[in-house]
PDB file of all heavy atoms in Angstrom:
ATOM      1  N   ALA A   1       7.158   6.996  -4.854  1.00  0.00           N
ATOM      2  CA  ALA A   1       6.042   7.118  -3.911  1.00  0.00           C
ATOM      3  C   ALA A   1       5.853   5.823  -3.128  1.00  0.00           C
ATOM      4  O   ALA A   1       5.652   5.839  -1.905  1.00  0.00           O
ATOM      5  CB  ALA A   1       4.763   7.478  -4.662  1.00  0.00           C
ATOM      6  N   TYR A   2       5.916   4.695  -3.816  1.00  0.00           N
ATOM      7  CA  TYR A   2       5.764   3.416  -3.124  1.00  0.00           C
ATOM      8  C   TYR A   2       6.922   3.161  -2.163  1.00  0.00           C
ATOM      9  O   TYR A   2       6.718   2.667  -1.042  1.00  0.00           O
ATOM     10  CB  TYR A   2       5.652   2.273  -4.123  1.00  0.00           C
ATOM     11  CG  TYR A   2       4.243   2.022  -4.593  1.00  0.00           C
ATOM     12  CD1 TYR A   2       3.954   1.932  -5.948  1.00  0.00           C
ATOM     13  CD2 TYR A   2       3.199   1.884  -3.686  1.00  0.00           C
ATOM     14  CE1 TYR A   2       2.657   1.700  -6.391  1.00  0.00           C
ATOM     15  CE2 TYR A   2       1.902   1.657  -4.115  1.00  0.00           C
ATOM     16  CZ  TYR A   2       1.641   1.561  -5.471  1.00  0.00           C
ATOM     17  OH  TYR A   2       0.345   1.335  -5.890  1.00  0.00           O
ATOM     18  N   LEU A   3       8.133   3.482  -2.567  1.00  0.00           N
ATOM     19  CA  LEU A   3       9.280   3.267  -1.682  1.00  0.00           C
ATOM     20  C   LEU A   3       9.149   4.096  -0.408  1.00  0.00           C
ATOM     21  O   LEU A   3       9.447   3.621   0.692  1.00  0.00           O
ATOM     22  CB  LEU A   3      10.579   3.612  -2.417  1.00  0.00           C
ATOM     23  CG  LEU A   3      10.997   2.640  -3.521  1.00  0.00           C
ATOM     24  CD1 LEU A   3      12.212   3.163  -4.272  1.00  0.00           C
ATOM     25  CD2 LEU A   3      11.291   1.251  -2.950  1.00  0.00           C
ATOM     26  N   ALA A   4       8.691   5.345  -0.542  1.00  0.00           N
ATOM     27  CA  ALA A   4       8.474   6.184   0.642  1.00  0.00           C
ATOM     28  C   ALA A   4       7.376   5.597   1.516  1.00  0.00           C
ATOM     29  O   ALA A   4       7.479   5.580   2.748  1.00  0.00           O
ATOM     30  CB  ALA A   4       8.123   7.608   0.214  1.00  0.00           C
ATOM     31  N   GLY A   5       6.320   5.108   0.884  1.00  0.00           N
ATOM     32  CA  GLY A   5       5.231   4.490   1.636  1.00  0.00           C
ATOM     33  C   GLY A   5       5.660   3.212   2.331  1.00  0.00           C
ATOM     34  O   GLY A   5       5.294   2.962   3.489  1.00  0.00           O
ATOM     35  N   PHE A   6       6.452   2.390   1.640  1.00  0.00           N
ATOM     36  CA  PHE A   6       6.968   1.165   2.251  1.00  0.00           C
ATOM     37  C   PHE A   6       7.803   1.491   3.488  1.00  0.00           C
ATOM     38  O   PHE A   6       7.663   0.855   4.535  1.00  0.00           O
ATOM     39  CB  PHE A   6       7.849   0.404   1.256  1.00  0.00           C
ATOM     40  CG  PHE A   6       7.105  -0.243   0.123  1.00  0.00           C
ATOM     41  CD1 PHE A   6       7.772  -0.533  -1.071  1.00  0.00           C
ATOM     42  CD2 PHE A   6       5.771  -0.576   0.220  1.00  0.00           C
ATOM     43  CE1 PHE A   6       7.120  -1.135  -2.125  1.00  0.00           C
ATOM     44  CE2 PHE A   6       5.091  -1.172  -0.836  1.00  0.00           C
ATOM     45  CZ  PHE A   6       5.776  -1.457  -2.012  1.00  0.00           C
ATOM     46  N   GLN A   7       8.677   2.477   3.349  1.00  0.00           N
ATOM     47  CA  GLN A   7       9.552   2.838   4.468  1.00  0.00           C
ATOM     48  C   GLN A   7       8.737   3.257   5.688  1.00  0.00           C
ATOM     49  O   GLN A   7       8.991   2.803   6.808  1.00  0.00           O
ATOM     50  CB  GLN A   7      10.505   3.966   4.064  1.00  0.00           C
ATOM     51  CG  GLN A   7      11.443   4.387   5.181  1.00  0.00           C
ATOM     52  CD  GLN A   7      12.391   5.505   4.763  1.00  0.00           C
ATOM     53  OE1 GLN A   7      12.449   5.889   3.594  1.00  0.00           O
ATOM     54  NE2 GLN A   7      13.155   6.035   5.716  1.00  0.00           N
ATOM     55  N   TRP A   8       7.731   4.100   5.457  1.00  0.00           N
ATOM     56  CA  TRP A   8       6.903   4.549   6.574  1.00  0.00           C
ATOM     57  C   TRP A   8       6.132   3.379   7.184  1.00  0.00           C
ATOM     58  O   TRP A   8       6.080   3.225   8.410  1.00  0.00           O
ATOM     59  CB  TRP A   8       5.933   5.635   6.119  1.00  0.00           C
ATOM     60  CG  TRP A   8       5.127   6.203   7.248  1.00  0.00           C
ATOM     61  CD1 TRP A   8       5.523   7.165   8.145  1.00  0.00           C
ATOM     62  CD2 TRP A   8       3.804   5.833   7.635  1.00  0.00           C
ATOM     63  NE1 TRP A   8       4.520   7.413   9.049  1.00  0.00           N
ATOM     64  CE2 TRP A   8       3.452   6.611   8.760  1.00  0.00           C
ATOM     65  CE3 TRP A   8       2.873   4.930   7.125  1.00  0.00           C
ATOM     66  CZ2 TRP A   8       2.209   6.512   9.387  1.00  0.00           C
ATOM     67  CZ3 TRP A   8       1.641   4.825   7.752  1.00  0.00           C
ATOM     68  CH2 TRP A   8       1.318   5.605   8.868  1.00  0.00           C
ATOM     69  N   GLY A   9       5.552   2.554   6.350  1.00  0.00           N
ATOM     70  CA  GLY A   9       4.773   1.436   6.851  1.00  0.00           C
ATOM     71  C   GLY A   9       5.605   0.446   7.647  1.00  0.00           C
ATOM     72  O   GLY A   9       5.160  -0.062   8.693  1.00  0.00           O
ATOM     73  N   LEU A  10       6.812   0.179   7.181  1.00  0.00           N
ATOM     74  CA  LEU A  10       7.692  -0.734   7.912  1.00  0.00           C
ATOM     75  C   LEU A  10       8.102  -0.127   9.251  1.00  0.00           C
ATOM     76  O   LEU A  10       8.178  -0.829  10.269  1.00  0.00           O
ATOM     77  CB  LEU A  10       8.922  -1.063   7.061  1.00  0.00           C
ATOM     78  CG  LEU A  10       8.656  -1.899   5.793  1.00  0.00           C
ATOM     79  CD1 LEU A  10       9.910  -1.976   4.938  1.00  0.00           C
ATOM     80  CD2 LEU A  10       8.172  -3.301   6.160  1.00  0.00           C
ATOM     81  N   GLU A  11       8.377   1.173   9.259  1.00  0.00           N
ATOM     82  CA  GLU A  11       8.749   1.839  10.513  1.00  0.00           C
ATOM     83  C   GLU A  11       7.610   1.790  11.531  1.00  0.00           C
ATOM     84  O   GLU A  11       7.855   1.732  12.741  1.00  0.00           O
ATOM     85  CB  GLU A  11       9.130   3.296  10.233  1.00  0.00           C
ATOM     86  CG  GLU A  11      10.451   3.450   9.495  1.00  0.00           C
ATOM     87  CD  GLU A  11      10.713   4.888   9.092  1.00  0.00           C
ATOM     88  OE1 GLU A  11       9.782   5.727   9.244  1.00  0.00           O
ATOM     89  OE2 GLU A  11      11.830   5.185   8.613  1.00  0.00           O
ATOM     90  N   GLN A  12       6.373   1.803  11.051  1.00  0.00           N
ATOM     91  CA  GLN A  12       5.207   1.799  11.942  1.00  0.00           C
ATOM     92  C   GLN A  12       4.792   0.391  12.356  1.00  0.00           C
ATOM     93  O   GLN A  12       3.848   0.238  13.132  1.00  0.00           O
ATOM     94  CB  GLN A  12       4.026   2.507  11.273  1.00  0.00           C
ATOM     95  CG  GLN A  12       4.303   3.943  10.862  1.00  0.00           C
ATOM     96  CD  GLN A  12       4.833   4.796  12.000  1.00  0.00           C
ATOM     97  OE1 GLN A  12       4.307   4.743  13.106  1.00  0.00           O
ATOM     98  NE2 GLN A  12       5.896   5.545  11.755  1.00  0.00           N
ATOM     99  N   GLY A  13       5.475  -0.615  11.871  1.00  0.00           N
ATOM    100  CA  GLY A  13       5.215  -1.982  12.318  1.00  0.00           C
ATOM    101  C   GLY A  13       4.071  -2.705  11.646  1.00  0.00           C
ATOM    102  O   GLY A  13       3.551  -3.685  12.195  1.00  0.00           O
ATOM    103  N   TYR A  14       3.659  -2.276  10.445  1.00  0.00           N
ATOM    104  CA  TYR A  14       2.624  -3.011   9.729  1.00  0.00           C
ATOM    105  C   TYR A  14       3.181  -4.352   9.258  1.00  0.00           C
ATOM    106  O   TYR A  14       4.360  -4.478   8.918  1.00  0.00           O
ATOM    107  CB  TYR A  14       2.100  -2.206   8.546  1.00  0.00           C
ATOM    108  CG  TYR A  14       1.225  -1.045   8.963  1.00  0.00           C
ATOM    109  CD1 TYR A  14       1.749   0.237   9.111  1.00  0.00           C
ATOM    110  CD2 TYR A  14      -0.123  -1.241   9.232  1.00  0.00           C
ATOM    111  CE1 TYR A  14       0.954   1.296   9.505  1.00  0.00           C
ATOM    112  CE2 TYR A  14      -0.936  -0.187   9.630  1.00  0.00           C
ATOM    113  CZ  TYR A  14      -0.389   1.074   9.765  1.00  0.00           C
ATOM    114  OH  TYR A  14      -1.180   2.129  10.173  1.00  0.00           O
ATOM    115  N   ASP A  15       2.313  -5.353   9.221  1.00  0.00           N
ATOM    116  CA  ASP A  15       2.710  -6.707   8.815  1.00  0.00           C
ATOM    117  C   ASP A  15       2.547  -6.945   7.327  1.00  0.00           C
ATOM    118  O   ASP A  15       3.238  -7.778   6.740  1.00  0.00           O
ATOM    119  CB  ASP A  15       1.872  -7.739   9.567  1.00  0.00           C
ATOM    120  CG  ASP A  15       2.017  -7.598  11.065  1.00  0.00           C
ATOM    121  OD1 ASP A  15       3.089  -7.932  11.583  1.00  0.00           O
ATOM    122  OD2 ASP A  15       1.054  -7.145  11.721  1.00  0.00           O
ATOM    123  N   VAL A  16       1.606  -6.237   6.714  1.00  0.00           N
ATOM    124  CA  VAL A  16       1.304  -6.392   5.292  1.00  0.00           C
ATOM    125  C   VAL A  16       1.212  -5.017   4.657  1.00  0.00           C
ATOM    126  O   VAL A  16       0.562  -4.112   5.206  1.00  0.00           O
ATOM    127  CB  VAL A  16      -0.031  -7.147   5.082  1.00  0.00           C
ATOM    128  CG1 VAL A  16      -0.420  -7.175   3.609  1.00  0.00           C
ATOM    129  CG2 VAL A  16       0.058  -8.559   5.652  1.00  0.00           C
ATOM    130  N   LEU A  17       1.860  -4.857   3.502  1.00  0.00           N
ATOM    131  CA  LEU A  17       1.801  -3.593   2.772  1.00  0.00           C
ATOM    132  C   LEU A  17       1.289  -3.875   1.367  1.00  0.00           C
ATOM    133  O   LEU A  17       1.795  -4.762   0.678  1.00  0.00           O
ATOM    134  CB  LEU A  17       3.182  -2.923   2.735  1.00  0.00           C
ATOM    135  CG  LEU A  17       3.686  -2.488   4.130  1.00  0.00           C
ATOM    136  CD1 LEU A  17       4.574  -3.576   4.723  1.00  0.00           C
ATOM    137  CD2 LEU A  17       4.447  -1.176   4.061  1.00  0.00           C
ATOM    138  N   VAL A  18       0.282  -3.108   0.965  1.00  0.00           N
ATOM    139  CA  VAL A  18      -0.428  -3.348  -0.287  1.00  0.00           C
ATOM    140  C   VAL A  18      -0.229  -2.179  -1.234  1.00  0.00           C
ATOM    141  O   VAL A  18      -0.307  -1.016  -0.823  1.00  0.00           O
ATOM    142  CB  VAL A  18      -1.931  -3.551  -0.031  1.00  0.00           C
ATOM    143  CG1 VAL A  18      -2.702  -3.728  -1.349  1.00  0.00           C
ATOM    144  CG2 VAL A  18      -2.169  -4.744   0.897  1.00  0.00           C
ATOM    145  N   GLU A  19       0.005  -2.481  -2.502  1.00  0.00           N
ATOM    146  CA  GLU A  19       0.004  -1.472  -3.551  1.00  0.00           C
ATOM    147  C   GLU A  19      -1.379  -1.429  -4.195  1.00  0.00           C
ATOM    148  O   GLU A  19      -1.933  -2.474  -4.545  1.00  0.00           O
ATOM    149  CB  GLU A  19       1.021  -1.813  -4.640  1.00  0.00           C
ATOM    150  CG  GLU A  19       2.466  -1.846  -4.203  1.00  0.00           C
ATOM    151  CD  GLU A  19       3.387  -2.193  -5.358  1.00  0.00           C
ATOM    152  OE1 GLU A  19       2.884  -2.416  -6.493  1.00  0.00           O
ATOM    153  OE2 GLU A  19       4.595  -2.262  -5.132  1.00  0.00           O
ATOM    154  N   MET A  20      -1.912  -0.231  -4.379  1.00  0.00           N
ATOM    155  CA  MET A  20      -3.214  -0.085  -5.032  1.00  0.00           C
ATOM    156  C   MET A  20      -3.270   1.243  -5.763  1.00  0.00           C
ATOM    157  O   MET A  20      -2.823   2.267  -5.239  1.00  0.00           O
ATOM    158  CB  MET A  20      -4.352  -0.157  -4.007  1.00  0.00           C
ATOM    159  CG  MET A  20      -5.750  -0.004  -4.602  1.00  0.00           C
ATOM    160  SD  MET A  20      -7.061   0.018  -3.331  1.00  0.00           S
ATOM    161  CE  MET A  20      -7.012  -1.692  -2.796  1.00  0.00           C
ATOM    162  N   ASP A  21      -3.817   1.238  -6.980  1.00  0.00           N
ATOM    163  CA  ASP A  21      -3.972   2.466  -7.746  1.00  0.00           C
ATOM    164  C   ASP A  21      -5.077   3.338  -7.162  1.00  0.00           C
ATOM    165  O   ASP A  21      -6.026   2.836  -6.541  1.00  0.00           O
ATOM    166  CB  ASP A  21      -4.305   2.151  -9.202  1.00  0.00           C
ATOM    167  CG  ASP A  21      -3.079   1.696  -9.986  1.00  0.00           C
ATOM    168  OD1 ASP A  21      -1.969   1.717  -9.424  1.00  0.00           O
ATOM    169  OD2 ASP A  21      -3.248   1.307 -11.164  1.00  0.00           O
ATOM    170  N   ALA A  22      -4.987   4.642  -7.418  1.00  0.00           N
ATOM    171  CA  ALA A  22      -5.950   5.596  -6.875  1.00  0.00           C
ATOM    172  C   ALA A  22      -7.163   5.806  -7.767  1.00  0.00           C
ATOM    173  O   ALA A  22      -8.114   6.476  -7.362  1.00  0.00           O
ATOM    174  CB  ALA A  22      -5.261   6.943  -6.652  1.00  0.00           C
ATOM    175  N   ASP A  23      -7.145   5.260  -8.981  1.00  0.00           N
ATOM    176  CA  ASP A  23      -8.194   5.590  -9.950  1.00  0.00           C
ATOM    177  C   ASP A  23      -9.344   4.594  -9.983  1.00  0.00           C
ATOM    178  O   ASP A  23     -10.248   4.715 -10.817  1.00  0.00           O
ATOM    179  CB  ASP A  23      -7.584   5.722 -11.347  1.00  0.00           C
ATOM    180  CG  ASP A  23      -6.895   4.442 -11.813  1.00  0.00           C
ATOM    181  OD1 ASP A  23      -7.006   3.409 -11.119  1.00  0.00           O
ATOM    182  OD2 ASP A  23      -6.238   4.475 -12.879  1.00  0.00           O
ATOM    183  N   GLY A  24      -9.323   3.591  -9.095  1.00  0.00           N
ATOM    184  CA  GLY A  24     -10.391   2.607  -9.064  1.00  0.00           C
ATOM    185  C   GLY A  24     -10.186   1.424  -9.974  1.00  0.00           C
ATOM    186  O   GLY A  24     -11.016   0.511  -9.998  1.00  0.00           O
ATOM    187  N   SER A  25      -9.097   1.418 -10.733  1.00  0.00           N
ATOM    188  CA  SER A  25      -8.846   0.289 -11.640  1.00  0.00           C
ATOM    189  C   SER A  25      -8.550  -1.002 -10.871  1.00  0.00           C
ATOM    190  O   SER A  25      -8.854  -2.098 -11.344  1.00  0.00           O
ATOM    191  CB  SER A  25      -7.694   0.616 -12.595  1.00  0.00           C
ATOM    192  OG  SER A  25      -6.524   0.944 -11.880  1.00  0.00           O
ATOM    193  N   HIS A  26      -7.946  -0.859  -9.696  1.00  0.00           N
ATOM    194  CA  HIS A  26      -7.771  -1.992  -8.786  1.00  0.00           C
ATOM    195  C   HIS A  26      -8.958  -2.002  -7.835  1.00  0.00           C
ATOM    196  O   HIS A  26      -9.061  -1.143  -6.962  1.00  0.00           O
ATOM    197  CB  HIS A  26      -6.460  -1.869  -7.999  1.00  0.00           C
ATOM    198  CG  HIS A  26      -5.246  -1.900  -8.857  1.00  0.00           C
ATOM    199  ND1 HIS A  26      -4.075  -1.266  -8.513  1.00  0.00           N
ATOM    200  CD2 HIS A  26      -5.015  -2.490 -10.056  1.00  0.00           C
ATOM    201  CE1 HIS A  26      -3.172  -1.468  -9.452  1.00  0.00           C
ATOM    202  NE2 HIS A  26      -3.723  -2.210 -10.401  1.00  0.00           N
ATOM    203  N   ARG A  27      -9.836  -2.937  -7.997  1.00  0.00           N
ATOM    204  CA  ARG A  27     -11.082  -2.925  -7.223  1.00  0.00           C
ATOM    205  C   ARG A  27     -10.815  -3.290  -5.759  1.00  0.00           C
ATOM    206  O   ARG A  27     -10.355  -4.400  -5.460  1.00  0.00           O
ATOM    207  CB  ARG A  27     -12.092  -3.896  -7.834  1.00  0.00           C
ATOM    208  CG  ARG A  27     -12.484  -3.539  -9.266  1.00  0.00           C
ATOM    209  CD  ARG A  27     -13.745  -4.249  -9.697  1.00  0.00           C
ATOM    210  NE  ARG A  27     -13.581  -5.701  -9.622  1.00  0.00           N
ATOM    211  CZ  ARG A  27     -14.558  -6.575  -9.800  1.00  0.00           C
ATOM    212  NH1 ARG A  27     -15.796  -6.135 -10.045  1.00  0.00           N
ATOM    213  NH2 ARG A  27     -14.330  -7.859  -9.725  1.00  0.00           N
ATOM    214  N   PRO A  28     -11.108  -2.385  -4.834  1.00  0.00           N
ATOM    215  CA  PRO A  28     -10.885  -2.678  -3.413  1.00  0.00           C
ATOM    216  C   PRO A  28     -11.654  -3.897  -2.929  1.00  0.00           C
ATOM    217  O   PRO A  28     -11.219  -4.582  -2.001  1.00  0.00           O
ATOM    218  CB  PRO A  28     -11.375  -1.405  -2.715  1.00  0.00           C
ATOM    219  CG  PRO A  28     -11.244  -0.325  -3.736  1.00  0.00           C
ATOM    220  CD  PRO A  28     -11.578  -0.985  -5.044  1.00  0.00           C
ATOM    221  N   GLU A  29     -12.767  -4.192  -3.568  1.00  0.00           N
ATOM    222  CA  GLU A  29     -13.584  -5.333  -3.163  1.00  0.00           C
ATOM    223  C   GLU A  29     -12.858  -6.664  -3.357  1.00  0.00           C
ATOM    224  O   GLU A  29     -13.263  -7.679  -2.783  1.00  0.00           O
ATOM    225  CB  GLU A  29     -14.899  -5.346  -3.949  1.00  0.00           C
ATOM    226  CG  GLU A  29     -15.818  -4.184  -3.651  1.00  0.00           C
ATOM    227  CD  GLU A  29     -15.419  -2.883  -4.359  1.00  0.00           C
ATOM    228  OE1 GLU A  29     -14.529  -2.932  -5.259  1.00  0.00           O
ATOM    229  OE2 GLU A  29     -15.977  -1.818  -4.019  1.00  0.00           O
ATOM    230  N   GLU A  30     -11.795  -6.663  -4.144  1.00  0.00           N
ATOM    231  CA  GLU A  30     -11.039  -7.887  -4.371  1.00  0.00           C
ATOM    232  C   GLU A  30      -9.854  -8.049  -3.417  1.00  0.00           C
ATOM    233  O   GLU A  30      -9.204  -9.099  -3.410  1.00  0.00           O
ATOM    234  CB  GLU A  30     -10.540  -7.942  -5.824  1.00  0.00           C
ATOM    235  CG  GLU A  30     -11.677  -8.043  -6.821  1.00  0.00           C
ATOM    236  CD  GLU A  30     -11.202  -8.226  -8.251  1.00  0.00           C
ATOM    237  OE1 GLU A  30     -10.401  -7.385  -8.706  1.00  0.00           O
ATOM    238  OE2 GLU A  30     -11.635  -9.177  -8.903  1.00  0.00           O
TER     239      GLU A  30
END
């Protein structure tokens, strides 16, 4: 899933790509 997301993000020209869990364990506020 991350590899597919990385590929799409790079194709769209994003400068920074972030990995984050969907369950809230990685606090977005940080």
Side-chain angles (χ1 to χ4, degrees):
Y2 273 129
L3 289 174
F6 289 157
Q7 180 180 353
W8 184 81
L10 293 171
E11 289 173 351
Q12 302 307 315
Y14 287 95
D15 302 289
V16 174
L17 295 95
V18 177
E19 297 180 359
M20 180 184 290
D21 283 355
D23 60 7
S25 57
H26 297 151
R27 299 196 301 172
E29 294 79 11
E30 295 185 305

